[in-house]
Amino acid sequence: DDIGDGGEKYDIYGDEEGTSKILHHFNKYFGFDERCTVAAMGLHGIATMKPKNSGHGNGPHPATWVKDASYKMTNDYFKGFEYEWTYEERDNEDYPKFGEQSQWYNGAYDEKRLVLLNVDIAMKWNYEEYVDDKGRIYCKVSDEANHHGGEDPRNVPECPRAYQTYNTVRDYAENYGLFLNDLEYCMIQMYTTGYRNGYDNSYFNYYGDGRATY
């Protein structure tokens, strides 16, 4: 509303949505291309998820996307994709309004375990063809297969690469300055375009190296 206190509720995407639908969402509402979408996901690196707010977290504890998360923007979010990530379903018995939630974790089950959401995983791996009728993902992004009932990891298919975004994740992990430059220009675009309902071609994508794409 006029004072920034809420507004229309948009259902962004469900847990089962994959790379292409996430990219479509950010293109439709912000005019983002694939690169800007990946850059915006990097903002998770300064965030914390709390079970009471979203149904996502580290057991009953809040969780972060990166180690030693702070309010300083780094490219640690992208470096973290090289970790081993295991899929899990949270029953959310303590937060029933959220229902069962999918997420991925790295590390032992303690208060410092890292967590990624499906929307994060989709920036590097496209699981769209590996979702069952309950919205559960049955492909792996590492050799950890405990989340598949303890079956032999060799029997669990690998999630394919997200060809539209995979290289950008790698580029940002290797080049901190590139990520910051792209993020700056993509955020300018977001602030000036706003959260709009519809695609009208009235925007540019600017990058830190001086390129502009229509």
Side-chain angles (χ1 to χ4, degrees):
D1 58 21
D2 291 340
I3 61 172
D5 187 16
E8 287 189 68
K9 180 182 182 299
Y10 286 91
D11 292 322
I12 299 179
Y13 30 67
D15 271 348
E16 72 281 1
E17 305 290 13
T19 309
S20 62
K21 291 184 179 180
I22 293 168
L23 293 175
H24 173 74
H25 171 86
F26 279 90
N27 178 265
K28 178 178 180 180
Y29 291 105
F30 298 112
F32 277 8
D33 65 355
E34 294 90 345
R35 198 172 184 89
C36 271
T37 300
V38 176
M41 287 298 169
L43 292 168
H44 280 162
I46 57 173
T48 300
M49 64 185 83
K50 298 181 180 180
K52 67 178 182 180
N53 293 337
S54 65
H56 291 287
N58 176 17
H61 309 289
T64 58
W65 282 260
V66 304
K67 296 178 180 178
D68 302 318
S70 71
Y71 291 112
K72 178 182 178 181
M73 181 60 66
T74 71
N75 61 340
D76 289 346
Y77 169 82
F78 301 103
K79 294 178 180 179
F81 281 94
E82 297 302 315
Y83 302 157
E84 296 284 322
W85 294 100
T86 299
Y87 179 78
E88 69 173 349
E89 292 283 344
R90 288 176 55 91
D91 57 31
N92 279 319
E93 290 183 354
D94 294 331
Y95 307 99
K97 68 178 180 179
F98 297 113
E100 195 174 77
Q101 297 277 20
S102 303
Q103 61 182 37
W104 305 70
Y105 70 87
N106 168 264
Y109 197 85
D110 58 29
E111 293 189 25
K112 294 185 178 181
R113 192 175 69 160
L114 301 179
V115 172
L116 290 183
L117 308 180
N118 287 346
V119 66
D120 302 300
I121 290 293
M123 294 298 98
K124 191 169 183 180
W125 296 279
N126 189 1
Y127 52 77
E128 290 175 353
E129 301 300 321
Y130 296 88
V131 181
D132 65 20
D133 56 3
K134 294 183 179 179
R136 295 173 177 169
I137 299 169
Y138 58 91
C139 61
K140 64 184 180 182
V141 300
S142 73
D143 288 330
E144 291 289 338
N146 296 331
H147 50 296
H148 296 284
E151 65 178 289
D152 189 327
R154 292 173 295 182
N155 296 331
V156 179
E158 293 184 7
C159 298
R161 289 183 179 183
Y163 71 91
Q164 296 155 294
T165 51
Y166 184 94
N167 288 338
T168 303
V169 170
R170 182 194 60 194
D171 291 345
Y172 289 162
E174 296 175 351
N175 192 326
Y176 178 39
L178 176 65
F179 164 56
L180 288 183
N181 284 335
D182 281 4
L183 180 64
E184 176 184 2
Y185 287 98
C186 294
M187 290 300 97
I188 291 172
Q189 178 179 315
M190 176 181 282
Y191 298 146
T192 55
T193 301
Y195 190 96
R196 60 185 183 163
N197 187 7
Y199 175 78
D200 59 14
N201 277 329
S202 62
Y203 65 87
F204 294 91
N205 284 322
Y206 293 101
Y207 295 113
D209 59 4
R211 290 178 295 123
T213 62
Y214 295 88

